[in-house]
Amino acid sequence: MNAFQILLQQTVNGVQIGSVYALIAVGYTMVYGVLKFINFAHGDVYMVGAYTGFFTVTAILASHAPALQGACALILAMVACSMLGLFIERLAYRPLRNGIQASDAPAWALFWSMYITLFLGGWLVNRSVLPPALVYIATFVVSVAVMFLVMRRLFAALSRRLKPSTDRLSALITAIGVSLLLENQGAASFGVTPRAAQIRGVNGGKDLVLPTFVAGHIKLSVGVGQIVVLAAALLLTAVLVYTVRFTAIGRSIRAVSLDRDAAALMGIPTDRIIAITFLIGSALAGAAGMLNHMLTGIPFDSNIGIALGLKAFVAAVLGGIGSIEGAVLGALLMGIAETFTSGSAFSPFKDAVAFVILIVVLLFKPTGLMGRYAPEKV
Amino acid sequence: MMMRQRILLVPAAMLIAVGFLLGGCKSPTSSTSQSTGNDIIVGEYGSLTGPQATFGKSTDNAIQLAAQQLNAAGGINGRQVKVVTQDDMSQANNAALAVQNLIDQQHAIAILGEVASSCSEAGGRVCQEKGIPMVSPSSTNPAVTEIGNDIFRVCFIDPFQAAVVARFAHDGLGATRVAVFTNTDQDYSTGFSKNFIAAFTKMGGTIVIQKSYGGSDTDFRGSLTAIAQAKPQAILIPGYYQDVASIAKQARALGITCPLLGGDGWDSPDLIKIGGSALNNCYFSDHLAIDDPTPAVAKFVAAYKAKYGQTPDSLAALGYDSANLLFAAMKAAKSLTPSDIRDAIAATKNFPGITGNITINAQRNADKPAVIIKIVNGQFTKFMSISNPDLPLQPKAS
Amino acid sequence: MTNLSPSTNNGAPALPKGYWSKRVGFLIFAIIMVWVSSAAEHRLNDYAVNIVRLCGISVLMAVSLNIVNGLTGQFSIGHAGFMSVGAYVGASVTYFAEMRYTHQATPGFGWMMAAMLIGGMAAALFGLIVGVPSLRLQGDYLAIVTLGFGEIIRVLITNCSSISSNLSYLGGASGFTGASGAYSVPHLTSFGLLTATVLVLLVLTRNLKASQHGLAFMAIREDEIAAAAMGINTTRTKVTAFVISAFWAGIAGVLFAHAVYFVPLSFGFIASMNYVIMVVLGGSGSITGTAIAAVILTALPEMLKPLQQQVGLADPYRQVIFALLLIIMMLLRPEGVFGRGELSISGIRRRFSRTSRVDSESSTTTSSEPAAPANSTTATSDYSSLALQNVTRRFGGLVAVGDVQLEVKKGSLTGLIGPNGAGKTTVFNLLTGVYAPSEGTITYEGNLLAGSVPASAGSRAAWLLLDTITALVAGLIIGRIVATSIVPYAATPGDHALVHMVEYGIGLAAAVTAAIASYRSRSTRPPKRPHQFAASGVSRTFQNIRLFGGLTVMENVCIGSYVRRKTTLVDSMLHTRKYYREEIEVRENARRLLARFGLLDSANELASSLPYGDQRRLEIVRALATKPGLLLLDEPAAGMNPQEKLSLMSLIRQVRDEFALTIVLIEHDMKLVMGVCEQIYVLDYGRIIASGTPVEVRSDPAVISAYLGEEQESKPVGDAG
């Protein structure tokens, strides 16, 4: 291989890594744009997306056509993760932002009920003649009802005493708490052994590359999975940019991200817009998790989101946090820089490169590559 | 005088914490304490959560299986053995704490653990200081047993394993140009690479290129593209199986066709499940071949499968051996004091483990041959056995 | 410091009561604590000893992080990086001591002290390297840079042997190994040493928090722009806080390394987060709170272990419970257990006895006492104190202020009026260094405050050299990455030539670009920053009030004195005599000023809790505390009723006379301006359209048409509101 060919091949490799970062980074940047806080749990939503894809492919649709598997896994992962995103927002972030209110009771009742069903239900199953499914369902229904009443009373009492928090550190700690919760509950539920599965239809599950592109002397190898990830990243980002730029919901999202209070005064339901933002961002992270792992067969465990999430967040900051196009640009740039470093004599320092680039860029452009500069009015 | 009062409180809070702890330890100046009650307490520390949890869990499973079988067969001199497990969260500083807890709070008279060498070193130092014998199932870094005369292991060490693989690459494959791809986040991987390079270059081979990756990487194409350009005859990947499987797939995708080489970290049924055909005609060194039809291995595999519903990997096999070797030594020991147990372990000769016959040598490491396993059509098959990597191999037709 | 006795005004103030008894008392207390803890060490088993040690180290980490995150309000989440620097450097010191000097014997206490000092200094140096560039960034950007720094340190240490084989004794992924592989870091972290270190850090931090320097830290947390206007060099103060914090993290690292036999690599992101959690749970800003949270969060997981084993929960659930507790804690008490307050025995007693806090000191100074006038009744001189020449400021294409010529006579009271958006506040921002003028110069008392001055040839050459070399090094590294990446295995001479060509080509290109950019951009001196304006005697108030809301009224005023302080940071941390003397002076001065403006009764209230009019007056008091020569008041009477306005205006005149000030004020209320000012400038669309005495301006046709033209031609200008 000559130098030019390697240059091209490494760029292609870099873009492939970058497109995974991009899908995660877009969610980060949206939530940050609207709420101005780092949602550390975002990487763990990616993890849940990967597990959803895994169980769809290996259990639910194990013997179906690959195309159906792929489509269903993608939809299920996006739906599951958007629900998870909504749930996290209702459970932790909204009560923190607005102060605990009686309206937060359903989310918490659901949350406690899941654990009650898991432990109490498990205990009851061993001591009952009824079929286990019935026992679990009954436990769940009863505990939801009881916990809802308890939580509503409790939260109504608490809401009189608690004030909403505007401190960003406490928001960050909450996000870390959610992240730890997801990671360890993931380990408890799915086990600590890495899982891996690949949708068989990706080149018949055998050959893992497209027939290499050949143009003259240049041969490039590109993974099928990676092409799909890249295409999906570009497509989903394009849809998102369109939504944010040209639709009513997008306008509301932009309004909320510029000034939440003013947006509320203009009649925009800010809480709902924030929830929608979480929903969209989490769906994208779920899509990223499913695509990256189910198309390429890369193994993962419940801690997969930590490192990837961190990298994706760095990409979002690099691109200018709050800017969707910036997140994609930053992610691609980081993917390419990492690939080149890992192929070079500096290959041990690959993981530091992302941060070095970040620091250098922030020195010259403190708001990232495409971030808007908003000086504080004096 | 607010200043003094405020400051008073923080040390006071620390003292309260101390008090809590004191409440928990009945004999603060405990020396080599005998086990309390009728059960014999053996401590085990391992990574049950965190990034290394998958290794810790299978080792723990096998140790518990060994203890269960021992107790079912009557225990040691009629006393039951209780294995108390402490999680070190895959962190070395927690490993030290876990071992202190096992010895000081649980009164363990012998310790089993860890897989990761960095954790074994941390825990081993504690054991050595307290004079409690420790048997590591699968830490291959030589530094572990160099800590002192209380620390043993049932596996071979990195220099041996790396030299075996180097000998195999040079003589068995006839390779002279080899690339090395190291996980720099694991001392297992860096140590293996270092020893391999030393052995291989001594035999006259060339390391054409060395690249590295990190523990959280999932995409290796950048380094592999560079390795492909150097056109090696074989690539050494001394990592763990989940990384190796991905690396193999991506290497094949980039048009790398040469055989890949590795060590015992490869041994897991998941290697083939993840990597598939990409791993065909690759080789790795191991403690035993699970396909080896010795009755002891078959019995262990069946018992493990029955209890945990999955096929054991080599870490489980080593965990099983470490526990059984310790139990055998405890039976043979003059009395159940730590020093007598230590002497009994040190005197172990030709213990029939499932990973081969184990003899504890003067450096407290296990003397046993390494097996080279070849992956043929997704099956681990025993290719050859190497007991002395310093001697050239006879060319072998397979 | 709460017990400062009121002192006599003449001569040097006496030391506060109990100055010596406090010190001796603390010393005795510290000795007892060290003795008790040393005795306890031998009574406990190793497991308990280790946990207590880890608790102590966590206290050091959390309290030192609190200096940055709590007091200064910056957002650092890479604290463990500094700990690892300290740990590795400290372990290296004792390692070499053992290998070279003590010849296999365990190094003693002296070496440990050296290791702590060197480890702390090394971490502080890293703090400086990280802090100087990154502390210009705000909030989350700073957070991500500190996080990145922590990761960079981890990667560097992991791969130390590929940097240089001389560094391979650091051990890479195995943790600190020494050359032999089985080296144990000596056990030098005794309870006594740890207790002493914790006590020293607690006392120094507490002293700092109560001092002028601590107030400066907190002022930055409350409002960075206002802090700069009060003469606080915000960048430097932030870097100072960062370096102090890194120093102590380094010491904690050394103690850690010598407590656990080895230096593990587990100083990553998760460890840093643990310390942030301690700070937030304890209450960021509260020293005692973070210390207690550090102890609890370190010991609790260990204590939960037996419980978990008894219940038979799977291991991950221990972490699930921790995470859940974290979330619930944040929902119920987001400001942390102690908020910003400190836990103190007298505080507890107060809470139980429910007596309100009485400021005994305020009653000693009667509020009616007239302030000591400086050269009172200075008549307006002809000497021009402030001059703006051809000042223009553009924002992009928009000219906010264009070609402004303005002269203010010493001792005069000048008004700046104009319709909304005329550029009045921009002029103030130019006068206080918030913006630098695009063109033109500003001189104050004959000194050039703003305006482009050609840089000296020497400094230009030095910068050129520095910029070029930096770019060359960076370019060569990038060049090497690209070159070795496209030619990973150079076999032929052609390959080698290509590698060198790419490598040197990129390096050279970077150097040339940087040289050209440096030559162009460094041609003028960098503009002065707001704190330098304040130091030259220009002080201001803000149109939208910018008090330090989380601090008391008294503290707000004391911050004003920061710019004239004579004590150093060391004085502040040790509470030296010099510190007490200045502190008494500062408080006395603040009390006098507050009394003059009728705010003394609310001296101990939070500034944010004051009524609106009082907040405006407090801003003036705070500005006066900087002892300015020129006071800029931005709409001082905004939002007041006519009665209040009138009394404020007369107060302003009196103040001008008493303190011998030159005052420029912006005001919408024409009537007031006309009544109080001697000289008036009228601004419209960024340009001065008229100037002169009130009478002259009032009859100026340009003013009438531009300022009030459309509204009511016939009505006299003076009545416009």
Side-chain angles (χ1 to χ4, degrees):
Chain A
M1 284 196 272
N2 63 31
F4 184 63
Q5 182 180 341
I6 295 182
L7 187 74
L8 281 183
Q9 179 70 56
Q10 292 289 37
T11 311
V12 169
N13 294 341
V15 169
Q16 289 171 3
I17 304 177
S19 56
V20 178
Y21 290 157
L23 270 180
I24 312 172
V26 166
Y28 256 125
T29 216
M30 280 186 69
V31 170
Y32 188 93
V34 170
L35 279 180
K36 305 281 177 289
F37 100 105
I38 308 172
N39 179 18
F40 264 106
H42 196 68
D44 302 299
V45 175
Y46 167 95
M47 176 267 291
V48 173
Y51 271 106
T52 314
F54 175 81
F55 288 117
T56 312
V57 171
T58 57
I60 304 177
L61 294 169
S63 54
H64 285 72
L68 181 73
Q69 279 188 344
C72 288
L74 182 63
I75 291 168
L76 274 178
M78 288 179 77
V79 169
C81 288
S82 53
M83 290 299 117
L84 179 70
L86 271 185
F87 187 59
I88 292 171
E89 203 270 330
R90 284 305 261 123
L91 193 73
Y93 300 152
R94 189 184 296 186
L96 185 75
R97 191 170 69 235
N98 297 346
I100 292 179
Q101 282 152 9
S103 59
D104 298 318
W108 277 94
L110 197 61
F111 179 79
W112 290 124
S113 303
M114 288 194 275
Y115 281 102
I116 293 171
T117 312
L118 192 65
F119 291 110
L120 185 69
W123 186 78
L124 286 175
V125 162
N126 295 334
R127 284 161 187 75
S128 131
V129 288
L130 295 168
L134 196 68
V135 175
Y136 278 119
I137 291 171
T139 324
F140 185 72
V141 170
V142 171
S143 61
V144 165
V146 172
M147 289 315 286
F148 175 69
L149 293 175
V150 172
M151 287 289 133
R152 204 174 52 171
R153 283 294 294 277
L154 182 69
F155 287 0
L158 282 174
S159 70
R160 284 192 288 275
R161 300 187 52 196
L162 295 177
K163 282 180 299 185
S165 160
T166 52
D167 185 21
R168 294 163 83 161
L169 266 175
S170 49
L172 180 83
I173 302 294
T174 310
I176 290 169
V178 173
S179 165
L180 273 176
L181 185 74
L182 286 175
E183 278 154 25
N184 289 291
Q185 188 54 53
S189 307
F190 307 135
V192 289
T193 316
R195 308 280 187 133
Q198 189 168 13
I199 294 173
R200 283 169 300 121
V202 181
N203 273 19
K206 265 186 174 179
D207 189 5
L208 302 148
V209 273
L210 282 181
T212 43
F213 291 117
V214 181
H217 296 294
I218 308 295
K219 273 195 291 186
L220 283 183
S221 81
V222 183
V224 177
Q226 275 76 8
I227 287 206
V228 179
V229 173
L230 179 61
L234 292 180
L235 185 75
L236 290 173
T237 313
V239 170
L240 192 64
V241 170
Y242 174 82
T243 315
V244 170
R245 285 259 172 89
F246 301 109
T247 64
I249 284 194
R251 259 196 302 282
S252 307
I253 290 178
R254 278 183 292 151
V256 173
S257 80
L258 281 175
D259 189 333
R260 201 188 318 158
D261 294 335
L265 289 175
M266 293 299 112
I268 294 172
T270 49
D271 278 340
R272 195 186 304 162
I273 294 300
I274 289 169
I276 289 173
T277 313
F278 265 91
L279 188 143
I280 297 175
S282 305
L284 287 180
M290 179 268 153
L291 291 171
N292 191 28
H293 291 283
M294 288 310 108
L295 295 181
T296 58
I298 293 170
F300 60 94
D301 59 19
S302 66
N303 290 323
I304 187 81
I306 303 175
L308 262 178
L310 204 60
K311 289 266 178 67
F313 179 66
V314 171
V317 178
L318 182 65
I321 197 145
S323 151
I324 292 169
E325 300 93 323
V328 176
L329 179 74
L332 293 181
L333 195 71
M334 244 179 65
I336 291 172
E338 280 195 352
T339 313
F340 270 88
T341 315
S342 67
S344 78
F346 290 82
S347 110
F349 304 104
K350 192 206 71 176
D351 281 339
V353 163
F355 294 104
V356 173
I357 294 180
L358 176 80
I359 291 171
V360 171
V361 166
L362 288 186
L363 282 184
F364 288 99
K365 210 161 175 314
T367 49
L369 292 173
M370 294 177 81
R372 279 185 313 263
Y373 177 59
E376 201 176 348
K377 284 279 280 178
V378 180
Chain B
M1 299 285 106
M2 213 134 89
M3 167 172 115
R4 223 184 303 161
Q5 289 162 344
R6 275 182 200 166
I7 287 160
L8 251 164
L9 273 154
V10 176
M14 283 179 70
L15 282 179
I16 293 167
V18 174
F20 263 111
L21 290 163
L22 266 175
C25 12
K26 287 176 193 86
S27 54
T29 48
S30 71
S31 53
T32 54
S33 59
Q34 286 287 336
S35 50
T36 51
N38 199 35
D39 286 355
I40 302 169
I41 308 286
V42 170
E44 182 213 340
Y45 66 110
S47 313
L48 299 178
T49 58
Q52 317 281 337
T54 171
F55 313 123
K57 194 70 200 157
S58 58
T59 308
D60 180 47
N61 283 347
I63 290 175
Q64 298 294 349
L65 176 67
Q68 191 190 5
Q69 289 174 346
L70 174 81
N71 289 335
I76 293 170
N77 306 333
R79 288 169 73 189
Q80 297 278 293
V81 170
K82 191 179 166 207
V83 177
V84 180
T85 310
Q86 281 268 328
D87 175 25
D88 60 29
M89 300 186 257
S90 312
Q91 287 171 8
N93 50 330
N94 282 323
L97 216 55
V99 174
Q100 280 167 344
N101 180 298
L102 288 170
I103 296 172
D104 288 340
Q105 308 284 93
Q106 322 273 1
H107 309 295
I109 55 166
I111 300 288
L112 291 166
E114 234 269 26
V115 177
S117 295
S118 49
C119 291
S120 290
E121 284 175 48
R125 294 205 170 101
V126 177
C127 289
Q128 180 65 34
E129 200 179 72
K130 294 181 174 291
I132 301 285
M134 171 182 126
V135 182
S136 163
S138 42
S139 286
T140 48
N141 191 320
V144 172
T145 44
E146 284 167 19
I147 289 169
N149 63 345
D150 282 312
I151 315 299
F152 302 87
R153 73 177 114 210
V154 297
C155 53
F156 45 59
I157 56 174
D158 282 338
F160 173 78
Q161 178 171 222
V164 163
V165 177
R167 176 57 68 192
F168 171 73
H170 191 263
D171 295 359
L173 290 176
T176 52
R177 297 161 48 82
V178 172
V180 177
F181 195 32
T182 314
N183 181 348
T184 44
D185 282 353
Q186 283 165 349
D187 58 346
Y188 163 68
S189 191
T190 50
F192 197 127
S193 302
K194 208 171 77 189
N195 290 310
F196 176 87
I197 292 170
F200 191 67
T201 46
K202 212 170 127 198
M203 291 169 199
T206 323
I207 305 298
V208 286
I209 193 166
Q210 192 184 1
K211 290 282 162 233
S212 42
Y213 63 98
S216 56
D217 286 358
T218 53
D219 194 303
F220 309 93
R221 284 156 210 270
S223 299
L224 289 172
T225 303
I227 289 175
Q229 193 253 358
K231 298 193 175 64
Q233 292 165 307
I235 305 172
L236 175 78
I237 311 169
Y240 286 115
Y241 64 91
Q242 18 356 1
D243 296 337
V244 172
S246 290
I247 291 169
K249 283 164 85 170
Q250 292 173 12
R252 300 302 180 225
L254 287 164
I256 298 173
T257 50
C258 65
L260 313 178
L261 305 172
D264 56 336
W266 282 33
D267 184 1
S268 162
D270 283 349
L271 179 75
I272 303 300
K273 229 164 72 188
I274 302 167
S277 60
L279 283 154
N280 278 343
N281 298 321
C282 294
Y283 303 85
F284 64 94
S285 67
D286 207 348
H287 310 273
L288 82 163
I290 296 279
D291 73 321
D292 222 7
T294 66
V297 174
K299 215 178 115 198
F300 165 66
V301 171
Y304 190 96
K305 259 187 173 163
K307 188 163 185 204
Y308 301 109
Q310 57 194 111
T311 316
D313 51 15
S314 69
L315 293 170
L318 288 168
Y320 190 72
D321 273 358
S322 66
N324 282 333
L325 185 138
L326 176 66
F327 298 153
M330 284 161 84
K331 280 181 192 162
K334 275 180 283 181
S335 73
L336 282 180
T337 58
S339 58
D340 284 345
I341 297 174
R342 181 194 61 218
D343 295 342
I345 300 173
T348 303
K349 278 206 169 53
N350 278 323
F351 170 78
I354 52 168
T355 62
N357 282 353
I358 299 166
T359 298
I360 299 293
N361 65 19
Q363 285 78 42
R364 295 170 301 283
N365 299 321
D367 268 342
K368 56 179 179 179
V371 178
I372 297 287
I373 289 179
K374 182 181 187 184
I375 302 169
V376 182
N377 289 328
Q379 294 296 318
F380 290 172
T381 45
K382 184 173 169 181
F383 189 69
M384 61 166 71
S385 174
I386 298 176
S387 45
N388 189 349
D390 295 336
L391 301 174
L393 292 182
Q394 298 305 314
K396 183 191 180 223
S398 65
Chain C
M1 206 223 40
T2 45
N3 283 359
L4 289 183
S5 57
S7 64
T8 48
N9 274 340
N10 43 1
L15 282 173
K17 256 191 300 188
Y19 175 82
W20 285 113
S21 65
K22 235 184 208 179
R23 274 160 199 254
V24 173
F26 171 68
L27 204 64
I28 294 170
F29 172 68
I31 290 170
I32 293 172
M33 283 305 299
V34 169
W35 181 76
V36 165
S37 57
S38 299
E41 185 169 12
H42 303 293
R43 300 267 311 138
L44 294 173
N45 67 31
D46 282 5
Y47 174 63
V49 164
N50 211 347
I51 288 178
V52 175
R53 274 199 205 122
L54 290 178
C55 287
I57 289 159
S58 293
V59 169
L60 288 176
M61 287 299 286
V63 172
S64 61
L65 181 63
N66 193 21
I67 296 174
V68 171
N69 280 19
L71 288 187
T72 321
Q74 301 303 303
F75 206 175
S76 166
I77 52 176
H79 206 48
F82 299 118
M83 187 182 183
S84 66
V85 170
Y88 273 90
V89 171
S92 303
V93 170
T94 47
Y95 172 70
F96 283 115
E98 189 164 334
M99 295 294 127
R100 296 265 166 81
Y101 300 105
T102 56
H103 299 291
Q104 305 299 324
T106 304
F109 184 72
W111 281 109
M112 182 60 186
M113 293 307 286
M116 279 168 69
L117 203 63
I118 296 172
M121 301 275 260
L125 182 70
F126 270 84
L128 192 70
I129 294 171
V130 185
V132 167
S134 61
L135 283 164
R136 297 190 325 182
L137 302 168
Q138 306 258 311
D140 299 328
Y141 285 95
L142 174 65
I144 202 77
V145 168
T146 54
L147 189 157
F149 163 74
E151 286 295 296
I152 290 172
I153 292 278
R154 188 185 63 80
V155 171
L156 287 182
I157 292 174
T158 311
N159 297 296
C160 56
S161 53
S162 55
I163 301 171
S164 154
S165 56
N166 290 333
L167 288 178
S168 58
Y169 75 92
L170 292 179
S174 332
F176 193 93
T177 50
S180 68
Y183 173 77
S184 282
V185 179
H187 263 210
L188 292 168
T189 304
S190 63
F191 267 23
L193 180 62
L194 192 59
T195 310
T197 317
V198 168
L199 283 177
V200 168
L201 174 65
L202 287 175
V203 170
L204 291 190
T205 319
R206 194 214 67 99
N207 282 353
L208 182 70
K209 191 181 173 186
S211 72
Q212 291 261 308
H213 288 90
L215 282 178
F217 287 1
M218 289 187 274
I220 291 174
R221 174 186 76 197
E222 296 294 323
D223 189 328
E224 210 171 320
I225 289 171
M230 289 301 109
I232 296 167
N233 184 345
T234 49
T235 313
R236 196 170 150 187
T237 310
K238 283 194 279 185
V239 171
T240 308
F242 209 64
V243 168
I244 295 175
S245 158
F247 176 78
W248 283 99
I251 286 184
V254 179
L255 289 167
F256 184 81
H258 292 87
V260 296
Y261 309 79
F262 64 99
V263 188
L265 262 174
S266 55
F267 288 120
F269 169 59
I270 294 169
S272 290
M273 273 307 158
N274 260 332
Y275 299 121
V276 177
I277 289 172
M278 287 169 193
V279 169
V280 176
L281 276 192
S284 61
S286 166
I287 301 166
T288 38
T290 40
I292 292 168
V295 171
I296 293 174
L297 284 179
T298 312
L300 194 67
E302 285 301 320
M303 294 177 189
L304 284 181
K305 266 187 182 173
L307 198 71
Q308 170 225 344
Q309 275 170 346
Q310 270 177 356
V311 176
L313 268 180
D315 286 280
Y317 277 111
R318 208 176 51 236
Q319 305 270 16
V320 168
I321 292 170
F322 175 71
L324 201 54
L325 284 177
L326 211 57
I327 297 171
I328 293 173
M329 182 69 207
M330 281 296 106
L331 290 183
L332 294 183
R333 204 166 158 80
E335 71 274 30
V337 177
F338 292 94
R340 276 172 189 168
E342 298 290 350
L343 181 68
S344 65
I345 290 171
S346 51
I348 296 171
R349 212 183 288 143
R350 201 159 51 236
R351 173 164 288 198
F352 283 107
S353 62
R354 288 181 186 282
T355 55
S356 64
R357 186 170 168 181
V358 183
D359 190 32
S360 56
E361 300 143 56
S362 64
S363 56
T364 59
T365 320
T366 49
S367 52
S368 59
E369 183 186 314
N375 319 328
S376 58
T377 64
T378 3
T380 312
S381 69
D382 279 346
Y383 171 65
S384 135
S385 169
L386 176 75
L388 276 71
Q389 274 176 337
N390 307 86
V391 170
T392 299
R393 170 70 203 195
R394 289 185 212 93
F395 293 105
L398 179 86
V399 180
V401 169
D403 203 23
V404 165
Q405 299 273 4
L406 197 146
E407 244 176 68
V408 175
K409 301 232 160 37
K410 189 173 175 69
S412 73
L413 220 167
T414 306
L416 193 59
I417 61 172
N420 270 332
K424 302 183 296 289
T425 298
T426 307
V427 170
F428 265 31
N429 286 338
L430 288 165
L431 282 174
T432 49
V434 177
Y435 303 142
S438 311
E439 281 163 32
T441 56
I442 300 171
T443 45
Y444 171 67
E445 297 287 338
N447 298 321
L448 190 72
L449 275 184
S452 68
V453 182
S456 70
S459 83
R460 272 182 89 172
W463 274 115
L464 189 70
L465 199 66
L466 189 70
D467 290 339
T468 314
I469 291 175
T470 314
L472 185 67
V473 172
L476 283 176
I477 293 175
I478 296 170
R480 181 132 192 90
I481 291 177
V482 173
T484 53
S485 154
I486 59 172
V487 188
Y489 181 67
T492 64
D495 289 343
H496 285 288
L498 184 64
V499 167
H500 291 313
M501 211 172 74
V502 172
E503 188 181 345
Y504 297 135
I506 293 181
L508 213 62
V512 170
T513 318
I516 294 170
S518 171
Y519 183 78
R520 284 200 184 141
S521 65
R522 310 262 194 210
S523 61
T524 54
R525 279 188 204 164
K528 281 193 176 168
R529 307 210 349 259
H531 71 269
Q532 291 169 309
F533 279 68
S536 357
V538 181
S539 193
R540 75 175 292 179
T541 66
F542 293 90
Q543 185 179 354
N544 44 346
I545 301 170
R546 284 182 169 272
L547 287 169
F548 306 120
L551 303 179
T552 65
V553 168
M554 180 55 110
E555 284 167 333
N556 265 275
V557 182
C558 288
I559 288 169
S561 307
Y562 175 81
V563 69
R564 307 281 167 229
R565 79 196 179 280
K566 290 179 213 74
T567 48
T568 60
L569 190 64
V570 177
D571 288 322
S572 283
M573 287 201 283
L574 297 180
H575 277 196
T576 57
R577 285 179 202 220
K578 201 172 157 194
Y579 162 82
Y580 277 113
R581 290 200 179 112
E582 183 168 276
E583 194 64 27
I584 290 163
E585 249 174 47
V586 163
R587 300 234 147 202
E588 201 53 40
N589 184 41
R591 215 168 280 131
R592 210 180 303 138
L593 282 170
L594 283 173
R596 184 70 187 81
F597 282 74
L599 289 168
L600 192 57
D601 289 340
S602 37
N604 286 324
E605 281 167 34
L606 284 187
S608 56
S609 69
L610 289 186
Y612 185 78
D614 285 354
Q615 291 198 9
R616 285 239 171 257
R617 278 185 294 166
L618 179 56
E619 270 217 325
I620 300 176
V621 175
R622 188 181 65 176
L624 284 175
T626 65
K627 301 202 171 128
L630 173 66
L631 182 62
L632 307 171
L633 302 174
D634 199 345
E635 298 197 24
M640 293 184 177
N641 65 36
Q643 196 75 49
E644 286 175 331
K645 278 183 182 176
L646 276 176
S647 68
L648 182 73
M649 284 302 160
S650 70
L651 188 61
I652 288 173
R653 276 196 98 125
Q654 288 169 22
V655 163
R656 192 262 313 251
D657 296 341
E658 272 175 37
F659 294 88
L661 291 172
T662 310
I663 294 182
V664 180
L665 64 87
I666 292 176
E667 189 47 72
H668 269 311
D669 195 326
M670 291 278 281
K671 202 167 162 186
L672 274 179
V673 180
M674 297 297 174
V676 77
C677 292
E678 289 131 9
Q679 176 85 5
I680 287 176
Y681 285 87
V682 186
L683 214 56
D684 192 23
Y685 291 109
R687 283 169 201 281
I688 302 241
I689 53 166
S691 66
T693 62
V695 183
E696 286 164 4
V697 169
R698 197 189 299 246
S699 52
D700 192 313
V703 178
I704 295 171
S705 70
Y707 194 73
L708 296 160
E710 325 85 39
E711 207 180 297
Q712 262 177 324
E713 297 273 358
S714 56
K715 211 173 172 191
V717 175
D719 290 349

